[in-house]
Amino acid sequence: GGRDRTVTHTRTNDKGETETYTTTETDWYSISGSETLSFDDIKSCASSKLDRRLLNGLGAFSLKYLQRYTPEYLAGFVAERYDIGVGEAWQTTSRTMEQQMEAHVESCEGYDHYRFMQYDHRFADIRFKHILLPVWMSSQTYKNKVYPFLLNGETGMISGRSPVSVPKVLLTVALSVLGLALLCLLIAYLCH
């Protein structure tokens, strides 16, 4: 781990005057240790068909009130069966937890910089639950292009992509710049 410190130096310039300037130097220390973190209810999507960015935009789901599954929950609805197994989901989830552990260790150590860090992650007491969360999938078509969106059936939060009109964006930017220029001119006129 490296800790920065400011060092003040003096030098004589071409005119024979003494100048003071500062530099930042890093002192490096060998660090080691162990840390234990607990994780609970880390979710991993079991569908390869869902866009992960859209899924991450849905916000959190409350897992406090999970119920045992019965077919009546899906009566009248089309549902997708999972196509990512526990092993593949664990690979994704364990990488996420490893990244969180590494960030935690670095934030706890309090150094300004790290280099040559090596981690040895060990997981214990691992349990899995297959759960069905209320995610509604749909899409809209605009100018022959499909824009998918997801809805969190618990909170109502929507995540999706919408069409962007480039001419409207450019017009909005141009009008904003024009308005700012006019405001600057008005302020300059009033100050004189």
Side-chain angles (χ1 to χ4, degrees):
R3 285 206 171 101
D4 290 341
R5 61 184 168 88
T6 303
V7 179
T8 303
H9 305 276
T10 57
R11 65 179 167 210
T12 306
N13 65 18
D14 296 341
K15 298 177 187 175
E17 301 168 333
T18 302
E19 295 178 335
T20 302
Y21 66 98
T22 60
T23 59
T24 301
E25 294 183 7
T26 304
D27 296 320
W28 292 98
Y29 303 92
S30 177
I31 56 176
S32 65
S34 65
E35 193 74 32
T36 301
L37 292 178
S38 296
F39 295 92
D40 191 27
D41 290 334
I42 303 292
K43 292 177 280 307
S44 180
C45 182
S47 171
S48 63
K49 297 171 187 74
L50 289 177
D51 184 326
R52 295 297 185 257
R53 287 174 292 176
L54 294 182
L55 198 57
N56 291 337
L58 285 179
F61 290 89
S62 173
L63 302 181
K64 290 181 193 175
Y65 307 107
L66 291 177
Q67 300 288 320
R68 183 165 296 283
Y69 173 78
T70 62
E72 290 81 26
Y73 286 131
L74 297 177
F77 296 100
V78 175
E80 182 181 339
R81 184 175 175 87
Y82 68 87
D83 62 350
I84 295 176
V86 170
E88 187 178 345
W90 169 246
Q91 289 176 357
T92 304
T93 304
S94 64
R95 277 194 301 272
T96 300
M97 290 189 292
E98 287 171 359
Q99 291 168 353
Q100 290 177 15
M101 286 187 273
E102 291 167 12
H104 172 77
V105 166
E106 291 181 7
S107 69
C108 289
E109 290 293 332
Y111 288 90
D112 298 313
H113 309 282
Y114 297 91
R115 65 180 182 190
F116 310 122
M117 293 289 281
Q118 295 179 353
Y119 299 93
D120 180 25
H121 303 96
R122 293 194 178 113
F123 296 98
D125 195 23
I126 301 167
R127 288 174 276 164
F128 299 95
K129 295 181 259 188
H130 276 115
I131 59 175
L132 183 65
L133 293 174
V135 176
W136 305 96
M137 300 179 286
S138 191
S139 63
Q140 63 181 12
T141 304
Y142 180 74
K143 292 187 178 180
N144 296 324
K145 189 169 180 184
V146 177
Y147 295 90
F149 64 92
L150 303 176
L151 177 112
N152 181 325
E154 182 180 18
T155 64
M157 185 176 281
I158 296 174
S159 176
R161 295 193 186 93
S162 58
V164 176
S165 170
V166 174
K168 288 181 182 177
V169 169
L170 293 175
L171 179 64
T172 302
V173 169
L175 289 175
S176 298
V177 169
L178 179 64
L180 186 60
L182 290 174
L183 182 64
C184 289
L185 287 172
L186 179 64
I187 290 171
Y189 176 76
L190 292 175
C191 291
H192 281 88

